[in-house]
Amino acid sequence: MQFGFKKNTSCSHALFGFTEAVKYYRKRDNKVFCAFLDASKAFDKVLLNGLLAKLIKRNVPLPLVRVLYNWFSGLSCSLVWNSLIGTPFHVYCAVRKGGVLSPVLFVIYVLVDDLMSELRQSGYGLHIGSLLIGAILYTDDIALLACNCYGLQQLINICDKYGMQWNIRFNPQKSQLACFGGHSPRDNIITLGNVCLCWSVQIKYLGCCFRGKQCDVDPSSCIGRFYGRCNNILDVMGNCRNEMSALYLIQTYCLPSLLYSCETWSLSQCDEKRVDVAWNNAFRKIFNAYWHESVKPLHYYCSCLPMSILLSMKKLLFLKKMLCSGNLILCRLAKWCHASMFALAAKYHIPIEPHDVVRSSVARIKDKVCSFYAYLYVFYDFTFCLSVLFSLFSKHVRLSCVFLNKLTYLLTKFLVLFF
């Protein structure tokens, strides 16, 4: 599966295919052996003659091939330092970074046709029903999956042979091995170009950190980026900032870094709480609230959802989107994980019939989710009024703030379960 530089695809699609394929084997108590290959400076090592040969093989019109040849063959560069321009030198390989055609040409040269067909014809990978998932590619990031070490070694050999043929060098020092569903087989030696690859407990693929064995996502890097961007925005705005403007900037520029590829996350309860705390702390920092105070009234009056509900909504809508996907493998994987969709909907008392999954109606599920959020906002409004009454009452009866927050939380839980 190749998702780089394609219409209507993103890193989330590649991560969804990877995580769901691993989960399918883990649920059946089978191990999944993965290799994550790093192509060093792949954009800078595209051979011009090799690119033209692949374009001709794909029946690209010859006038266009001649235009590209004249364009790339006369390429020259110069170094600029303190307004001084150095002597020009010719560039005999690489595609121009930032060019409109460069992503398309790079995909044709590196990923399409030859490499994908060789990996598919080898027959090694994860067999899920009638599907074969052996490699997941996003531009120059390659993830190889196999059910045993021998199959993984064969897939690596195919990629290494292809790289030597087309001037693509895979860096063994930055490439990693991982085993999901059990302990890493340290005794099994897997090589890349006569260099032994190391088994890693935690790997990073497409910006997400995965822990070994369970294939859980570690959100520490996302939380760190979120805190860093929030602090930068609030420091620039100063103490006399407008709270709603600060919230808008944080929602626009900071929240996407916290929720990067959250649709494919598989979080433990502790990690999910960490993400929720980070989102709540942003509200406390913006509105100068105490760290032990509840931010639910702030969520309501700022028209923002709590993090737990926001994550659930994104997962539900992404799964429905995958059911409507034109990619056969993603659609099949989404159908196999429909049980998690029902469990997620039942958690928030959203009625979903079985034929909803078959008909793949995104709008229908979205309406049900939005209607549930409308009820939830009513609950928040009611509990906020209660908290105001309690605060007035506490002036005469000295109730602690912690007690009031706990009472408001319990009332919210009761109302959600009752309705």
Side-chain angles (χ1 to χ4, degrees):
M1 294 189 293
Q2 202 287 112
F3 298 96
F5 301 131
K6 293 179 67 176
K7 189 178 181 180
N8 297 326
T9 60
S10 62
C11 292
S12 297
H13 293 75
L15 290 169
F16 176 78
F18 169 73
T19 54
E20 292 303 324
V22 173
K23 288 179 184 177
Y24 181 88
Y25 267 67
R26 280 189 58 248
K27 288 180 180 178
R28 289 155 179 80
D29 296 329
N30 293 324
K31 291 184 179 181
V32 177
F33 302 91
C34 303
F36 302 89
L37 305 184
D38 177 78
S40 300
K41 299 180 180 179
F43 263 88
D44 299 330
K45 295 186 178 181
V46 175
L47 297 176
L48 177 58
N49 294 332
L51 176 61
L52 297 177
K54 292 199 172 191
L55 291 174
I56 294 173
K57 185 179 178 180
R58 292 175 62 85
N59 298 323
V60 176
L62 290 179
L64 179 57
V65 175
R66 293 192 184 99
V67 169
L68 292 175
Y69 175 76
N70 292 329
W71 185 14
F72 284 103
S73 60
L75 214 60
S76 61
C77 295
S78 299
L79 296 177
V80 179
W81 184 71
N82 285 343
S83 301
L84 298 177
I85 302 177
T87 304
F89 57 91
H90 292 284
V91 178
Y92 299 100
C93 60
V95 292
R96 308 180 79 174
K97 293 184 178 179
V100 177
L101 278 178
S102 297
V104 179
L105 297 176
F106 178 76
V107 170
I108 292 174
Y109 181 80
V110 178
L111 303 178
V112 179
D113 286 342
D114 297 337
L115 179 58
M116 292 298 296
S117 62
E118 288 183 21
L119 292 173
R120 194 180 302 110
Q121 291 173 5
S122 67
Y124 297 105
L126 302 181
H127 293 267
I128 303 177
S130 59
L131 302 178
L132 174 63
I133 303 177
I136 297 176
L137 303 96
Y138 193 90
T139 61
D140 57 343
D141 293 317
I142 302 177
L144 304 176
L145 301 89
C147 55
N148 52 61
C149 293
Y150 178 79
L152 184 62
Q153 181 66 70
Q154 297 304 314
L155 294 175
I156 293 175
N157 292 340
I158 293 173
C159 294
D160 187 34
K161 181 180 177 181
Y162 183 87
M164 294 178 62
Q165 182 180 0
W166 297 100
N167 195 35
I168 301 172
R169 181 178 177 272
F170 295 102
N171 191 349
Q173 280 70 34
K174 294 185 178 181
S175 300
Q176 294 178 309
L177 299 176
C179 177
F180 300 106
H183 295 283
S184 302
R186 303 288 180 177
D187 297 335
N188 292 338
I189 299 176
I190 296 180
T191 60
L192 172 62
N194 297 326
V195 178
C196 296
L197 299 180
C198 299
W199 293 93
S200 301
V201 178
Q202 183 171 334
I203 57 94
K204 188 175 183 180
Y205 179 61
L206 296 181
C208 285
C209 295
F210 294 93
R211 298 189 183 99
K213 296 183 182 180
Q214 302 299 324
C215 195
D216 292 335
V217 174
D218 184 6
S220 299
S221 58
C222 296
I223 294 174
R225 287 194 298 266
F226 175 76
Y227 276 130
R229 294 182 181 183
C230 286
N231 291 331
N232 290 336
I233 289 176
L234 297 179
D235 288 342
V236 170
M237 298 186 71
N239 295 327
C240 299
R241 57 181 176 267
N242 181 276
E243 288 84 357
M244 298 308 296
S245 299
L247 179 61
Y248 174 78
L249 292 175
I250 288 176
Q251 283 183 308
T252 305
Y253 298 103
C254 304
L255 187 59
S257 63
L258 180 63
L259 298 180
Y260 170 71
S261 68
C262 65
E263 302 89 353
T264 63
W265 281 359
S266 177
L267 296 177
S268 62
Q269 188 175 3
C270 179
D271 289 332
E272 188 173 350
K273 185 177 180 180
R274 289 172 58 199
V275 177
D276 187 56
V277 168
W279 179 234
N280 292 340
N281 285 343
F283 278 86
R284 296 186 179 102
K285 184 72 173 178
I286 294 171
F287 294 96
N288 294 322
Y290 291 107
W291 294 110
H292 61 269
E293 286 185 338
S294 174
V295 296
K296 290 180 180 180
L298 295 176
H299 286 162
Y300 169 70
Y301 282 103
C302 296
S303 300
C304 296
L305 293 173
M307 182 55 60
S308 58
I309 299 178
L310 192 60
L311 290 174
S312 301
M313 181 189 70
K314 285 183 170 292
K315 287 183 179 180
L316 276 174
L317 296 180
F318 184 78
L319 285 174
K320 296 300 296 183
K321 186 178 179 180
M322 290 298 98
L323 287 171
C324 303
S325 174
N327 189 306
L328 177 62
I329 296 178
L330 293 181
C331 184
R332 193 76 62 84
L333 289 174
K335 288 181 180 179
W336 277 324
C337 66
H338 69 276
S340 60
M341 182 188 300
F342 286 125
L344 194 59
K347 179 181 177 181
Y348 295 100
H349 306 281
I350 303 175
I352 299 180
E353 293 80 12
H355 61 268
D356 285 333
V357 177
V358 178
R359 293 167 63 181
S360 304
S361 173
V362 178
R364 184 169 185 175
I365 300 300
K366 192 172 182 179
D367 291 341
K368 292 178 180 179
V369 174
C370 292
S371 64
F372 170 74
Y373 295 150
Y375 283 118
L376 192 64
Y377 281 145
V378 174
F379 299 154
Y380 280 166
D381 195 12
F382 178 72
T383 53
F384 179 72
C385 294
L386 288 177
S387 63
V388 172
L389 292 175
F390 287 152
S391 62
L392 294 175
F393 180 70
S394 63
K395 292 181 179 179
H396 304 283
V397 181
R398 298 179 178 178
L399 298 177
S400 65
C401 184
V402 177
F403 174 76
L404 294 177
N405 288 334
K406 286 186 177 180
L407 186 58
T408 305
Y409 174 76
L410 291 175
L411 285 172
T412 305
K413 281 286 189 180
F414 172 75
L415 289 172
V416 170
L417 292 175
F418 179 74
F419 281 90

